[in-house]
């Protein structure tokens, strides 16, 4: 019923379902009724409170449950005006409010009930748990945990040194929808830093070629920018398939792109040569079956030996 | 020449609202890598490539306007990207060669030396 196996799930999830208690996820302030209440009255309560089960109590102690199935049967067989006590389920499986949520999950699996009443140590009725309570309770708690994780990660990340920018973009294979987004961002950063237009363009060309290589040829990878006052460094790192012949890949006009990629205007065999041409430093490494790493650097301040 | 000349003097149909600006050059190509490598800044690109990636490429290369030759159609996502990036997009029934020499005339390139 709840697609979580309390014995074989990721440890973060297991930690969660053992740490969370039934009282953290249950619906409290349950509408309960005395045992001589008519089934018709209970049907009205279900409708008004939008619940599918009503606990029956005697002096505050839980003695039975009437579910929506019981009401349907009563309507079908014509005893809707009789008191709850005659038709209620008396064999109740209850959960205690201090039990871990893992226990509730196992109970849903084991008993096939839609809901369980929850009692406290004094055996008083304090709530009700449906499978929906479990899933939404877990989702809320996962959200909280993820937020906390993000907050801690942000704290751990060393702050960017002043004047330096680092950006990481995930690039998916064949994702033409987002292709160019990373490079556009790089160009904007350089623009905002007041970098000369010609240098902006060199960096944008290098970045776009590497980005399109990731889209057209890789199994997916990352585009990483490091920018400071001296230079813009663009790294493209992918997870394969790797380039068998680097010399060929660096030859203008050589491409392994298929007709479909070519029809979009890519695959002219100019990507890597173009990147190298606009870069002041260029490094290409590739292992077939592992991946390719390209590093292209555009100097933002002229250095000895730079191309004009 | 200016971007508006594409509409008023060459009869191209604007596909997105554009901001008037001077065009300093032009480039004709369907290979986006070639455009990236060689299209001049502040230029108009004459191409058959009517899709979103052409806009990304133009934006990065500093191309200000795109003319889709031969009545090629532009998908909506291309026009949305162009609007976002501030790049003008036009359609023309002229073919690339004819568009190119007319644009060349407007740019004042005229007859090449030693023709």
């Amino acid at each position: 019923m709840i697609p979580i196996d309390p014995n074989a799930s990721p440890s973060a999830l297991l930690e969660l379902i053992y740490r969370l208690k039934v009282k953290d996820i249950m619906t409290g302030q349950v509408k309960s009724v005395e045992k001589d209440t008519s089934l018709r009255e209970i049907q009205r309560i279900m409708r008004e409170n939008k619940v599918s089960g009503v606990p029956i109590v005697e002096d505050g102690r839980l003695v039975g449950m009437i579910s929506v199935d019981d009401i349907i049967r009563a309507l079908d067989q014509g005893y809707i005006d009789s008191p709850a006590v005659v038709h209620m389920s008396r064999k109740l499986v209850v959960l205690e409010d201090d039990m871990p949520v893992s226990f509730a999950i196992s109970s849903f699996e084991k008993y096939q009930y839609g809901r369980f009443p929850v009692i406290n140590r004094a055996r008083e009725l304090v709530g009700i748990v449906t499978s929906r309570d479990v899933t939404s309770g877990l989702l809320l708690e996962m959200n909280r945990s993820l937020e906390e994780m993000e907050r801690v990660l942000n704290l751990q990340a060393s702050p960017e040194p002043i004047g330096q920018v680092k950006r990481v973009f995930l690039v998916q294979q064949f994702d033409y929808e987002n292709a160019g987004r990373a490079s556009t961002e790089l160009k904007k950063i350089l623009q905002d830093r007041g970098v000369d237009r010609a240098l902006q363009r060199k960096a944008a060309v290098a970045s776009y070629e590497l980005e399109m290589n990731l889209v057209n040829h890789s199994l997916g990878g990352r585009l990483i920018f490091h920018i400071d006052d001296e230079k813009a460094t663009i790294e493209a790192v992918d997870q394969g398939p790797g380039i068998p012949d680097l010399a060929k890949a660096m030859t203008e006009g050589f491409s392994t792109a298929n007709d479909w990629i070519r029809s979009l205007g890519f695959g002219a065999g100019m990507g890597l040569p173009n990147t190298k041409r606009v870069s002041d430093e260029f490094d290409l490494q590739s292992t077939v079956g592992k991946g390719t790493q390209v590093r292209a650097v555009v100097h933002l301040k002229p250095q000895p030996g730079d191309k004009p | 020449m200016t971007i508006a000349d594409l509409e008023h003097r060459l009869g191209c149909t604007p596909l997105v609202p554009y901001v008037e600006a001077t065009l300093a050059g032009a480039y004709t190509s369907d290979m986006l890598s070639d455009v990236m490598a060689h299209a001049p800044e502040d230029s108009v690109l004459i191409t058959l490539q009517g899709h979103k990636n052409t806009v990304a490429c133009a934006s990065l290369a500093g191309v200000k306007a795109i003319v889709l030759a031969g009545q090629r159609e532009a998908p909506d996502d291309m026009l949305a990207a162009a609007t976002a990036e501030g790049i003008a997009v036009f359609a023309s029934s002229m073919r690339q060669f004819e568009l190119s020499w007319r644009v060349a005339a407007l740019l004042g390139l005229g007859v090449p030396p030693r023709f």
Side-chain angles (χ1 to χ4, degrees):
Chain A
M1 279 191 73
I2 296 167
I4 291 174
D5 183 347
N7 299 313
S9 286
S11 56
L13 185 59
L14 292 183
E15 194 267 329
L16 204 73
I17 62 175
Y18 285 99
R19 174 164 55 82
L20 271 186
K21 303 297 181 209
V22 168
K23 64 180 163 207
D24 299 327
I25 59 156
M26 71 183 188
T27 304
Q29 294 177 329
V30 182
K31 181 76 185 163
S32 63
V33 298
E34 293 291 327
K35 62 180 183 168
D36 50 4
T37 311
S38 74
L39 294 176
R40 188 180 293 283
E41 172 66 5
I42 293 174
Q43 183 201 7
R44 188 188 61 79
I45 291 169
M46 283 181 176
R47 198 174 52 236
E48 284 180 3
N49 295 280
K50 295 192 172 69
V51 293
S52 56
V54 175
I56 314 299
V57 294
E58 185 175 12
D59 304 328
R61 296 273 305 276
L62 179 70
V63 292
M65 279 285 278
I66 291 288
S67 71
V68 73
D69 291 341
D70 297 321
I71 296 292
I72 290 168
R73 201 172 306 116
L75 286 169
D76 184 42
Q77 297 178 14
Y79 56 79
I80 190 71
D81 287 311
S82 59
V85 65
V86 185
H87 302 284
M88 67 189 185
S89 326
R90 290 168 185 276
K91 280 187 186 169
L92 291 184
V93 180
V94 296
L95 298 175
E96 287 179 27
D97 61 353
D98 275 333
M99 286 173 170
V101 165
S102 63
F103 211 92
I105 294 172
S106 313
S107 302
F108 279 112
E109 189 64 39
K110 192 169 165 189
Y111 296 105
Q112 312 285 316
Y113 288 148
R115 68 206 65 76
F116 294 103
V118 182
I119 56 173
N120 62 13
R121 273 187 189 200
R123 307 203 62 76
E124 292 158 339
L125 178 72
V126 289
I128 204 159
V129 164
T130 62
S131 56
R132 187 177 164 167
D133 291 327
V134 176
T135 45
S136 61
L138 282 179
L139 266 181
L140 282 174
E141 191 57 28
M142 279 186 212
N143 260 339
R144 261 197 293 273
S145 304
L146 282 174
E147 272 175 13
E148 178 62 17
M149 250 160 74
E150 281 184 352
R151 197 185 64 82
V152 170
L153 279 177
N154 282 338
L155 284 178
Q156 282 174 346
S158 47
E160 276 174 357
I162 292 168
Q164 294 186 21
V165 175
K166 183 186 175 188
R167 292 277 187 285
V168 180
F169 290 85
L170 294 178
V171 181
Q172 310 279 348
Q173 184 180 28
F174 302 146
D175 180 9
Y176 293 96
E177 183 59 30
N178 293 302
R181 190 168 281 184
S183 304
T184 305
E185 175 73 18
L186 172 66
K187 192 172 184 190
K188 288 199 173 114
I189 293 169
L190 296 177
Q191 224 162 22
D192 290 347
R193 292 171 74 94
V195 170
D196 172 72
R197 266 187 97 187
L199 293 174
Q200 275 180 37
R201 180 175 155 133
K202 283 173 73 179
V205 169
S207 170
Y208 187 68
E209 293 293 5
L210 294 180
E211 188 173 359
M212 291 320 300
N213 273 353
L214 289 175
V215 173
N216 289 325
H217 300 293
S218 83
L219 302 171
R222 277 174 300 164
L223 204 60
I224 306 156
F225 304 137
H226 299 269
I227 303 143
D228 59 26
D229 291 340
E230 301 289 319
K231 56 194 180 184
T233 304
I234 302 140
E235 290 175 302
V237 181
D238 69 41
Q239 285 137 22
I243 303 171
D245 189 335
L246 291 183
K248 265 192 184 168
M250 289 306 300
T251 307
E252 204 158 298
F254 174 81
S255 176
T256 57
N258 59 30
D259 289 348
W260 169 61
I261 293 174
R262 286 171 200 261
S263 73
L264 288 170
F266 301 112
M270 293 177 69
L272 287 171
N274 260 356
T275 310
K276 187 172 181 183
R277 192 176 46 77
V278 296
S279 304
D280 296 306
E281 298 170 39
F282 179 85
D283 181 56
L284 166 64
Q285 296 187 23
S286 188
T287 309
V288 173
K290 286 225 156 153
T292 302
Q293 301 195 359
V294 191
R295 185 171 166 275
V297 183
V298 173
H299 293 165
L300 304 179
K301 281 190 183 151
Q303 292 185 14
D306 276 359
K307 299 167 220 170
Chain B
M1 79 177 278
T2 69
I3 293 181
D5 288 340
L6 292 168
E7 182 179 1
H8 301 302
R9 298 183 67 180
L10 296 185
C12 301
T13 314
L15 303 181
V16 291
Y18 60 88
V19 178
E20 177 65 322
T22 305
L23 294 172
Y27 202 70
T28 303
S29 179
D30 299 326
M31 275 297 175
L32 297 182
S33 268
D34 178 48
V35 174
M36 286 300 285
H38 303 296
E41 293 259 351
D42 301 331
S43 60
V44 50
L45 170 67
I46 298 162
T47 187
L48 297 175
Q49 294 288 358
H51 54 80
K52 195 179 166 181
N53 296 290
T54 315
V55 173
C57 179
S59 162
L60 292 166
V63 168
K64 282 188 173 167
I66 298 169
V67 180
L68 296 175
Q71 213 65 297
R72 292 283 175 129
E73 291 194 357
D76 289 345
D77 65 347
M78 177 188 185
L79 299 180
T83 307
E85 293 293 327
I87 291 175
V89 182
F90 295 87
S92 171
S93 55
M94 281 185 272
R95 303 284 162 183
Q96 281 166 295
F97 178 78
E98 190 181 356
L99 268 170
S100 299
W101 75 256
R102 285 183 188 275
V103 166
L106 287 176
L107 285 168
L109 298 177
V111 180
R114 296 164 60 86
F115 185 66

